[in-house]
Amino acid sequence: MAKLSPNAPCPCGSGKKYKKCCLVYHKGALAPDALALMKSRYAAYAADLPDYIIKTTHPDNPDFTADVQTWRESIRLFTQQTEFLHLKIIDFRENGEEAYVAFAATLSSGELKEKSRFLKVSGKWLYVDGEFETQAASAL
C-alpha cells in the first residue's frame, strides 16, 4: 500500500483527517485508552506501519517474537496484500489495567470479527490477544 496522506480520512473511521487522529499515535503519542490503541493499530495496518504494530504488541501475544525482521516482513506482506475497507466498533469495556474491544473489520479478504484483549503496562496500552468469530482473514 502507498503511504497514507496526512490529509486523507483516517482509516479508523473517526471522520477526522489522519493527521488529526491516529497519526499522532503512530508518531509516538500514547493512546489514552485501549479503544484508541485498537483503532490506531487498525490504521497502522492500513497505512503499512509494521513497526507500530510490533511496538504496541504485548510480549504474551502468540505472534510476539524476538526475530523482529521476520515479524515485520510478515506484517508487511499482510498489509500489502490487503485493503482495509471499514472498521466497526461493536463493544468496548475497560476495567482498570485490562480492556476488551470487540470489532468487525471489513477487509478485501473478508470480514474479521474479534474481541481483542489489552493490558496497560507501565502506563502504556498493549494488544495481548483476541478471540475470533470468523477466520476470514489474518489477525489484526
Side-chain angles (χ1 to χ4, degrees):
M1 160 158 196
K3 205 166 172 123
L4 190 60
S5 165
N7 289 314
C10 191
C12 80
S14 66
K16 299 177 185 175
K17 289 184 179 182
Y18 176 54
K19 69 182 177 185
K20 296 283 188 180
C21 195
C22 291
L23 181 60
V24 298
Y25 305 124
H26 297 163
K27 286 189 170 187
L30 292 181
D33 56 36
L35 179 59
L37 179 65
M38 186 271 145
K39 291 171 81 171
S40 71
R41 284 174 56 88
Y42 177 87
Y45 277 104
D48 190 22
L49 299 173
D51 290 331
Y52 183 79
I53 300 301
I54 292 168
K55 183 176 84 170
T56 58
T57 301
H58 193 281
D60 290 347
N61 180 282
D63 294 331
F64 193 93
T65 177
D67 183 359
V68 174
Q69 186 59 36
T70 300
W71 189 10
R72 181 182 296 117
E73 289 170 12
S74 171
I75 294 168
R76 180 146 279 148
L77 183 65
F78 174 63
T79 61
Q80 291 176 351
Q81 293 178 346
T82 306
E83 285 183 71
F84 297 81
L85 305 171
H86 181 71
L87 176 65
K88 178 183 177 188
I89 303 301
I90 298 166
D91 192 26
F92 170 55
R93 297 180 190 269
E94 188 177 310
N95 186 7
E97 307 295 300
E98 185 175 39
Y100 293 88
V101 179
F103 68 91
T106 305
L107 311 176
S108 55
S109 56
E111 184 177 64
L112 177 133
K113 289 184 178 181
E114 179 179 332
K115 180 179 178 185
S116 298
R117 183 168 66 105
F118 299 84
L119 291 176
K120 195 172 190 179
V121 179
S122 302
K124 180 181 176 182
W125 285 102
L126 297 171
Y127 171 71
V128 181
D129 54 27
E131 295 175 13
F132 301 98
E133 253 186 61
T134 63
Q135 294 292 334
S138 298
L140 290 184

